[in-house]
Amino acid sequence: MTRVGLSPLAWLDSVEQQRRQAGLRRSLRTRPAVATELDLASNDYLGLSQHPAVIDGGVAALRTWGAGSTGSRLVTGNTELHEEFETAVAGFVGAETGLVFSSGYAANIGAVVALSGPGSLVVSDALSHASLVDACRLSRARVVVSAHNDVDAVEAALVGRDEERALVITESVFSTDGALAPLRRLHEVCRRHGGLLLVDEAHGLGVRGAGGRGLVHEAGLAGAPDVIVTTTMSKSLGSQGGVVLGPAAVRDHLIDAARTMIFDTGLAPRLSAPHWPRCGCSPRSPAAPGR
């Protein structure tokens, strides 16, 4: 079959038509700098993206450190602001250490892939975020997708495995339906069968737990040696970036093995500088707008 003269992108026309007919065509919407109406779509749960202390912190960091981090954190992209934030947020949620990534998406992929791999099992909730789904696909592990919040299904996967290592993945507050994960029961099952529990707190940090410390803290699992927490700074913290929280051994391993940290340009210092652990406007504090 000859294909001379056929554009290699010709297939996009038919795909676009199919999407349009199915009502699946996406479009970008431009918003104003300051919304004049109540915004129920934003992830800025506590309004910290517009908090004066957060803005002032970002401006000060911009003038000191420049617009970007200039490189991977392993080369020139690591600053004292990154490490101060890691220490502050880890202390806030009760974890031993933290490691900042350029986004929550990158944090999830880096953590899941580095903590699993060929010859291991990953058990992921059916409603896990796309970043966790992609991480499972990249892990090269055997992946079992368990029914939403079905602890018995998770246990069955752990019991029936041949692999020595197992990683169980869940969100704390699910972005799809707002359901809370049964973290204590999941942890009990993981501990009983030698599995590591990874909890994405993107929608839990700032709005669940004492002072907004998250659902893991609320469940009494903060600092547990077999629990890893990932989260984003783009929701309750009103900024951008991601962080993995857990034992020091995990942080050390991610620095060696997490490709989304090793080969990605580090988070701009100005984005880690103004968060609430540094500026004093912690979640649930009187200074935070809307609280």
Side-chain angles (χ1 to χ4, degrees), residues 28-250:
L28 298 176
R29 300 178 183 178
T30 303
R31 68 171 177 84
V34 179
T36 57
E37 66 280 349
L38 179 63
D39 187 354
L40 299 180
S42 169
N43 290 324
D44 186 18
Y45 299 140
L46 303 179
L48 291 183
S49 71
Q50 296 294 324
H51 194 288
V54 174
I55 294 172
D56 290 346
V59 170
L62 181 65
R63 288 178 172 151
T64 301
W65 295 97
S69 66
T70 76
S72 163
R73 290 192 64 187
L74 288 175
V75 186
T76 60
N78 191 50
T79 71
E80 61 188 44
L81 296 183
H82 294 91
E83 297 187 359
E84 287 176 8
F85 173 72
E86 289 169 344
T87 299
V89 73
F92 181 75
V93 303
E96 185 178 1
T97 61
L99 184 66
V100 165
F101 288 71
S102 61
S103 70
Y105 212 106
N108 274 342
I109 289 179
V112 171
V113 174
L115 293 171
S116 56
S120 63
L121 170 69
V122 175
V123 184
S124 181
D125 190 283
L127 295 188
S128 289
H129 187 265
S131 59
L132 296 170
V133 173
D134 287 350
C136 289
R137 292 169 176 170
L138 290 169
S139 71
R140 294 183 294 166
R142 183 170 69 90
V143 178
V144 172
V145 178
S146 59
H148 184 40
N149 276 345
D150 189 336
V151 179
D152 292 337
V154 172
E155 183 163 30
L158 293 176
V159 170
R161 80 182 194 269
D162 295 324
E163 298 85 357
E164 180 179 353
R165 291 186 290 117
L167 178 67
V168 174
I169 297 171
T170 186
E171 296 183 44
S172 61
V173 180
F174 280 87
S175 57
T176 50
D177 63 358
L180 304 183
L183 293 183
R184 289 180 184 172
R185 292 181 59 208
L186 283 172
H187 181 250
E188 290 169 359
V189 164
C190 287
R191 180 159 287 186
R192 190 156 57 239
H193 301 290
L196 179 66
L197 179 61
L198 185 146
V199 183
D200 182 346
E201 280 269 39
H203 295 273
L205 182 67
V207 296
R208 297 293 309 194
R213 287 169 171 79
L215 193 64
V216 171
H217 190 280
E218 182 178 323
L221 300 177
D226 49 0
V227 176
I228 307 300
V229 173
T230 65
T231 193
T232 180
M233 289 109 85
S234 63
K235 294 181 172 58
S236 289
L237 303 191
S239 185
Q240 191 172 334
V243 60
V244 179
L245 300 149
V250 170

